[in-house]
Amino acid sequence: MISLKHVSKTYGRSVKAVDDLTWDIEDGQIVGFIGPNGAGKTTTLKMITGILSPDQGEITINGISMKEDGVNAKRQFGFVSDSPDNFLRLKGIEYLNFMADIYQVSTEDRRRRIDSFSGRFGMESALDDRILSYSHGMRQKIMVMGALIHEPAVWILDEPLTGLDPKSAYELKEMMREHAKGGKSVLFSTHVLEVAEKLCDKVSVINKGKIVFLGTLDELREKYNSKDTLEDIFLELTEHA
Ligand SMILES: Nc1ncnc2c1ncn2[C@@H]1O[C@H](COP(=O)(O)OP(=O)(O)OP(=O)(O)O)[C@@H](O)[C@H]1O
Ligand SMILES: [Mg+2]
């Protein structure tokens, strides 16, 4: 469960990137976070993960306050940022072991998980190469593997499917489904509305720092025009606000 109460963030003096955001993301669900460029998705995800501090408001993950007990709050989730260009000097396997060390994952567990992830993502033969030599999609995949190596209850992913080939995108979507089915939660941002439509139990729409909708797609259609596609509703929600 990810809870935000009246969370706001302003950059500099004027850009109010996130404006009084309140929501509960319940367990057992995949929630798609959608909104135009610059709407505040990355800023929100960075506040949830403790990378940025909110100016105002409270954030708790599985009931643990990010402000009061950041270390334990951070144990609850795995985060994949929107930029996979990190730890470039490390080999893939070194990065995975580094992440497994941080989260104190046993040798047996990390071996099993690395085998499973690298098989699904077709990364076996790349693990001994430096991340610097990886393509964008390969970097994305190694970041996902590192973020999930401690089997976090909550997955928070910023545009995780960007640049993944069809098989890898399929595998990641399947992994999200398996995770949510096990009663855990997935929150991810995307610009691909078809993905949100097919994969998500709920969607949250953000526009100019404000949440304009959080609910199921059926609720969204009920509230707006049931005949419209998600694209039509999205454009209406974000253009005339
Ligand atoms: N480091 C920063 N310094 C100043 N302004 C910033 C910074 N990061 C983001 N912003 C501003 O905050 C607002 C929200 O940006 P954010 O990156 O959260 O949007 P986003 O929804 O993730 O967009 P995109 O879909 O393009 O990834 C934008 O107006 C952006 O210009
Ligand atoms: Mg973003």
Side-chain angles (χ1 to χ4, degrees):
M1 167 89 123
I2 307 170
S3 285
L4 273 69
K5 286 197 176 62
H6 301 295
V7 169
S8 296
K9 178 81 189 174
T10 302
Y11 290 107
R13 262 179 244 156
S14 54
V15 185
K16 194 149 201 182
V18 173
D19 190 0
D20 198 22
L21 199 162
T22 295
W23 73 11
D24 285 327
I25 305 281
E26 285 147 27
D27 294 341
Q29 293 181 344
I30 303 178
V31 178
F33 195 19
I34 57 181
N37 292 132
K41 300 178 297 297
T42 295
T43 304
T44 302
L45 298 181
K46 283 187 172 166
M47 288 194 287
I48 295 172
T49 51
I51 295 167
L52 288 174
S53 306
D55 301 331
Q56 277 152 30
E58 287 294 318
I59 297 171
T60 60
I61 300 175
N62 289 342
I64 304 167
S65 161
M66 180 53 72
K67 199 158 91 193
E68 260 131 57
D69 191 1
V71 171
N72 271 322
K74 284 176 185 170
R75 280 189 212 282
Q76 308 300 311
F77 63 77
F79 175 55
V80 177
S81 87
D82 56 353
S83 161
D85 304 326
N86 310 306
F87 303 102
L88 296 177
R89 288 182 167 275
L90 296 185
K91 293 177 179 173
I93 191 70
E94 290 171 344
Y95 168 66
L96 296 179
N97 276 316
F98 166 71
M99 292 298 280
D101 286 343
I102 288 181
Y103 288 101
Q104 295 165 323
V105 179
S106 71
T107 314
E108 178 55 34
D109 283 346
R110 75 176 72 178
R111 191 177 302 136
R112 194 165 34 80
R113 290 172 197 162
I114 291 171
D115 280 353
S116 159
F117 290 149
S118 54
R120 294 182 80 160
F121 283 150
M123 287 286 284
E124 298 103 323
S125 60
L127 293 182
D128 282 326
D129 297 331
R130 284 185 184 213
I131 297 174
L132 189 65
S133 72
Y134 286 8
S135 69
H136 177 87
M138 291 163 78
R139 290 179 189 184
Q140 189 71 20
K141 288 188 274 192
I142 204 83
M143 290 301 136
V144 171
M145 291 162 70
L148 304 184
I149 199 145
H150 64 294
E151 288 197 339
V154 176
W155 294 7
I156 301 171
L157 317 168
D158 199 356
E159 300 188 37
L161 298 163
T162 308
L164 294 195
D165 64 38
K167 160 85 166 106
S168 304
Y170 169 82
E171 288 295 341
L172 183 55
K173 288 185 277 186
E174 277 302 299
M175 286 156 70
M176 290 187 199
R177 286 196 181 99
E178 290 159 16
H179 190 66
K181 245 190 220 146
K184 312 285 178 54
S185 45
V186 179
L187 169 64
F188 77 104
S189 73
T190 182
H191 288 294
V192 186
L193 298 179
E194 288 82 7
V195 167
E197 211 158 9
K198 284 202 190 118
L199 183 63
C200 297
D201 301 298
K202 285 190 176 172
V203 293
S204 177
V205 185
I206 186 168
N207 190 41
K208 296 179 186 161
K210 284 196 176 288
I211 296 296
V212 287
F213 182 80
L214 171 62
T216 64
L217 285 158
D218 286 344
E219 286 163 356
L220 185 71
R221 291 214 174 81
E222 226 167 78
K223 193 166 170 195
Y224 298 93
N225 193 337
S226 59
K227 283 188 227 98
D228 286 354
T229 63
L230 179 58
E231 186 177 43
D232 293 328
I233 297 172
F234 177 88
L235 292 175
E236 193 184 316
L237 269 176
T238 54
E239 270 174 12
H240 303 302

